[in-house]
Amino acid sequence: MTQMSPDAVPSRHPLAADPLPALRRLRTAAPRVFGQLHALLLTSGLALHSPNFALLLRLASSSVPSLSHRLQLLLCSPLPPTAFLANSLLLAHLPSALPLYSLLFLASPPLLRPNEFTYPALLRASPPRTALALATHSLKFLGAGAASRDRVLGAALLDAFARCGRIASCRRVFDRIVQPDLPAWNALLTAYARRARGSCCAREAAEVLELFARMVSSTVPPNEITLVAVIGACGELGALGHGLWAHAYALRRRLTVNCYVATALVEMYTRCGKMDLAEQVFAGVTDMDTRCYNAMLQGLAFHGHGRAALALFDRMCAEGFSVDSVTVLAVMCACAHAGLIDEGRWLFDRMEMQFGVTPRIEHYGCMVDILGRAGQLDVAEKLIRGMDFPPNTAMYRSLIRACGIHGKLELGERTIKELMRLEPEHSGNYVLLSNFYARMRLWEDAKKVRKEMKAMGIDKSPGSSVLDIDGVLHEFLMGDKTHPASREIYAMVQEIEVRLKECGYRPSTTAMLFNVEEEDKVDALSYHSERLAIAFALIASSPGAPIRIIKNLRVCSDCHESTKFVSQVYGREIIMRDRTRFHHFRDGHCSCGDFW
């Protein structure tokens, strides 16, 4: 009988003919089978080709239990270790490849040097903090120009910096790309849109629209991801004209209006004060999901349509869509804004038992707001003290406002101490305290708070209002005189004041807490940003056209009252979005019922 060499593989072995199909097909293998494949690659000479050995390294992630053994497999290969083989091993270990990355590239001295193929998949698979560190490594090892040379790496870096909120870094990477492709544009637009939404910053939202205009003028056609970012920015700015154009663009270019685009459109139209268009989009969604329902519920809540929100919630449950924490919070907020105390309490009490949603601090905060509006402040305080987690500042602010409205001085002062312990330097807290003391007519205490602000160098956040007229956005600050039509605007402000007084309007100066004369307080109220915006709208818009204003702060009580008079005297519908909700002023009345 002929003696067989121990290295020979029997010709009848199922893997002997060609092990490569098995390597390409298998996603996992028992250690014995993996060992056979490894041996066949070595004895047949196939392991001398990098793509073949890379297939074996991919399979090693599920077949070789020890990370050190997998690393030895690479280092002891018949080929010299290369970045290509190392990248193959890394890709097989996603999303937990960071320890292996450190062993391969960060050892002292490093075993290998990374290349432009090392980072894209790693960046996308890593959480934000890890992605930021990897992005920094890529710039260190590959240089700042690598993103411009490799589009895939550039898009991955943009995405990493965007998820970390590093807008400046994101923009620097983008500006180095000579001809940005669609993923690069989308990553940058999404970064700005996410930042605008998180910080309620008009500057980032306006930047999205400017970038989109550049993109449209280039040779890169937008897709659905682009539209979601652009439509979201329109909603933040209240730029209804731009939003309508983006919607029409999607339909004209036959882009797919899937549930993601539809949700963005619903959010945009509700944030621009066009609930009829939001409802029209919502009714046409064919691939409905919980997120789209949540967007519509939040819009109804924002506009104070509590009964409609409850009806939609019932329909959502009846159709079998899952209820999450966002759903419950939206319906509770709708109850709060509409004064539906019993309905809000019913949902809060049953959210965990009936809907499987564990109450979070946001739900407790909304319940405190509901109780505060109903004047049940002792119950609200008891709820705060009985929580399993510490209260947040938003909860305390809500309770303080309610104390001011209902005249609860002792509870208000107790809550003030807790608020200042958590945020001793927040400018909004000092303004809130001043207003609280002014409502209680404790003028010396109000003056003392203002003096403390001045001594500590704390400035009040400036109020700003954005107005959309014929697709052009106009921004006004309090006392602003930078607008080209400033002279006409201030003349119109004076005319409005005269006409409103003839109709019985009397300015309320209790919220003006500076040590100034009463006449000066009235003048200061007249130049609040929303009044300048209304004055310009009366000059520049068509007679009878609705006036849409986006304000970054809560509207003050006197501006709210004067806007009701303007809507009656000038016959205009005024839709104002402040920091907490929408106000629809029509014929001398507001949709909020004077409680916001």
Side-chain angles (χ1 to χ4, degrees):
M1 182 180 287
T2 306
Q3 184 79 24
M4 284 187 66
S5 165
D7 295 328
V9 177
S11 60
R12 64 179 180 274
H13 194 287
L15 299 177
D18 186 2
L20 294 181
L23 277 173
R24 295 190 185 100
R25 185 179 67 254
L26 290 173
R27 291 293 175 265
T28 183
R32 183 179 62 82
V33 176
F34 180 82
Q36 289 176 340
L37 288 167
H38 188 194
L40 285 168
L41 281 183
L42 293 173
T43 56
S44 63
L46 292 172
L48 296 173
H49 297 277
S50 292
N52 300 337
F53 202 76
L55 290 172
L56 185 74
L57 291 173
R58 177 183 60 79
L59 189 59
S61 66
S62 60
S63 306
V64 180
S66 170
L67 181 62
S68 60
H69 288 170
R70 297 172 204 163
L71 186 60
Q72 285 301 313
L73 186 68
L74 169 66
L75 299 178
C76 299
S77 67
L79 295 168
T82 61
F84 170 75
L85 292 175
N87 293 343
S88 301
L89 191 59
L90 281 173
L91 286 172
H93 284 76
L94 295 177
S96 55
L98 193 61
L100 186 58
Y101 169 84
S102 301
L103 289 171
L104 289 168
F105 301 117
L106 302 182
S108 185
L111 299 174
L112 294 166
R113 186 174 182 82
N115 62 15
E116 62 273 19
F117 301 104
T118 304
Y119 291 100
L122 271 177
L123 288 166
R124 287 193 163 88
S126 300
R129 185 174 296 181
T130 304
L132 183 60
L134 287 168
T136 306
H137 287 180
S138 74
L139 297 175
K140 174 185 175 182
F141 289 121
L142 306 178
S148 61
R149 296 190 299 270
D150 189 282
R151 291 186 175 184
V152 177
L153 174 62
L157 285 170
L158 284 169
D159 178 70
F161 285 127
R163 286 190 289 127
C164 299
R166 301 297 183 95
I167 299 295
S169 299
C170 201
R171 188 59 184 266
R172 280 195 294 270
V173 170
F174 181 85
D175 288 340
R176 291 193 185 103
I177 302 174
V178 179
Q179 290 184 321
D181 57 6
L182 182 60
W185 278 107
N186 283 346
L188 185 66
L189 287 167
T190 302
Y192 274 106
R194 188 183 292 127
R195 177 69 172 269
R197 180 155 200 145
S199 62
C200 300
C201 183
R203 185 168 56 253
E204 271 80 11
E207 190 69 30
V208 172
L209 300 186
E210 291 178 18
L211 286 167
F212 181 62
R214 277 179 53 191
M215 182 182 182
V216 170
S217 64
S218 71
T219 57
V220 180
N223 67 358
E224 292 78 11
I225 297 173
T226 319
L227 281 176
V228 169
V230 172
I231 292 167
C234 294
E236 287 301 317
L237 282 172
L240 178 61
H242 292 78
L244 287 166
W245 183 90
H247 190 181
Y249 180 91
L251 298 176
R252 192 167 58 249
R253 294 299 180 96
R254 300 185 183 279
L255 295 176
T256 304
V257 182
N258 55 29
C259 66
Y260 298 103
V261 177
T263 300
L265 285 168
V266 169
E267 290 176 342
M268 181 271 291
Y269 283 130
T270 59
R271 294 183 70 80
C272 290
K274 290 294 289 181
M275 286 301 297
D276 55 337
L277 293 180
E279 289 166 356
Q280 185 179 333
V281 171
F282 183 80
V285 178
T286 55
D287 53 343
M288 184 70 71
D289 63 0
T290 296
R291 188 170 177 270
C292 196
Y293 260 107
N294 288 348
M296 194 67 209
L297 287 168
Q298 287 171 327
L300 291 168
F302 212 30
H303 286 264
H305 301 327
R307 293 293 178 191
L310 287 169
L312 185 63
F313 177 63
D314 289 341
R315 173 182 148 191
M316 178 183 181
C317 296
E319 292 180 357
F321 289 95
S322 61
V323 172
D324 60 19
S325 64
V326 177
T327 314
V328 175
L329 184 62
V331 179
M332 288 183 66
C333 286
C335 292
H337 289 313
L340 303 175
I341 312 303
D342 293 337
E343 291 84 348
R345 292 195 72 166
W346 179 91
L347 182 57
F348 180 73
D349 291 339
R350 288 165 177 76
M351 60 183 290
E352 188 164 16
M353 179 179 62
Q354 188 165 335
F355 301 105
V357 178
T358 303
R360 296 162 55 177
I361 195 162
E362 295 85 0
H363 301 100
Y364 277 94
C366 192
M367 194 63 235
V368 168
D369 186 33
I370 290 172
L371 293 169
R373 290 169 184 268
Q376 300 178 25
L377 302 182
D378 294 333
V379 180
E381 185 186 27
K382 185 178 178 180
L383 180 68
I384 292 174
R385 296 187 182 281
M387 294 191 308
D388 294 331
F389 29 75
N392 62 11
T393 55
M395 195 175 290
Y396 283 138
R397 290 190 196 106
S398 176
L399 188 56
I400 292 168
R401 288 191 194 95
C403 288
I405 292 168
H406 296 287
K408 296 286 188 177
L409 177 61
E410 185 180 342
L411 176 57
E413 290 188 321
R414 264 201 323 269
T415 311
I416 285 169
K417 290 178 182 177
E418 294 297 324
L419 176 64
M420 299 308 290
R421 181 179 59 82
L422 292 178
E423 277 187 351
E425 297 183 4
H426 190 283
S427 63
N429 293 341
Y430 285 88
V431 176
L432 176 63
L433 304 192
S434 298
N435 291 342
F436 170 75
Y437 286 125
R439 276 187 175 272
M440 306 300 293
R441 299 193 173 276
L442 300 172
W443 306 115
E444 289 303 316
D445 290 316
K447 194 182 299 182
K448 181 182 176 182
V449 171
R450 288 289 180 170
K451 286 181 178 178
E452 287 179 8
M453 278 185 74
K454 189 173 182 180
M456 296 172 68
I458 299 173
D459 292 324
K460 177 181 179 292
S461 299
S464 70
S465 295
V466 176
L467 176 72
D468 183 356
I469 295 183
D470 298 329
V472 179
L473 299 177
H474 303 263
E475 184 175 16
F476 298 90
L477 302 176
M478 178 178 172
D480 195 354
K481 294 187 178 181
T482 60
H483 195 279
S486 180
R487 181 176 297 177
E488 293 85 350
I489 291 169
Y490 277 83
M492 176 56 74
V493 168
Q494 295 302 319
E495 178 193 312
I496 292 171
E497 291 298 310
V498 171
R499 290 193 61 180
L500 296 194
K501 286 178 181 177
E502 290 173 352
C503 295
Y505 163 71
R506 294 293 178 267
S508 172
T509 59
T510 56
M512 296 299 296
L513 306 173
F514 300 102
N515 187 20
V516 293
E517 296 299 326
E518 193 71 16
E519 185 177 337
D520 294 330
K521 291 180 182 182
V522 173
D523 287 343
L525 286 170
S526 300
Y527 303 143
H528 279 189
S529 62
E530 59 267 51
R531 298 201 186 192
L532 298 179
I534 290 170
F536 180 67
L538 291 174
I539 297 169
S541 63
S542 303
I547 298 171
R548 303 179 189 279
I549 297 170
I550 308 297
K551 184 174 170 62
N552 67 330
L553 302 176
R554 182 187 293 258
V555 62
C556 76
S557 57
D558 186 75
C559 288
H560 187 272
E561 187 66 19
S562 70
T563 306
K564 289 197 298 183
F565 272 89
V566 171
S567 71
Q568 183 177 27
V569 172
Y570 287 87
R572 293 288 194 104
E573 180 185 6
I574 302 173
I575 301 109
M576 184 185 298
R577 187 183 94 197
D578 72 4
R579 193 172 60 188
T580 59
R581 62 164 295 156
F582 264 93
H583 301 264
H584 292 258
F585 298 93
R586 188 186 290 112
D587 299 327
H589 300 281
C590 179
S591 60
C592 74
D594 297 338
F595 202 116
W596 70 100

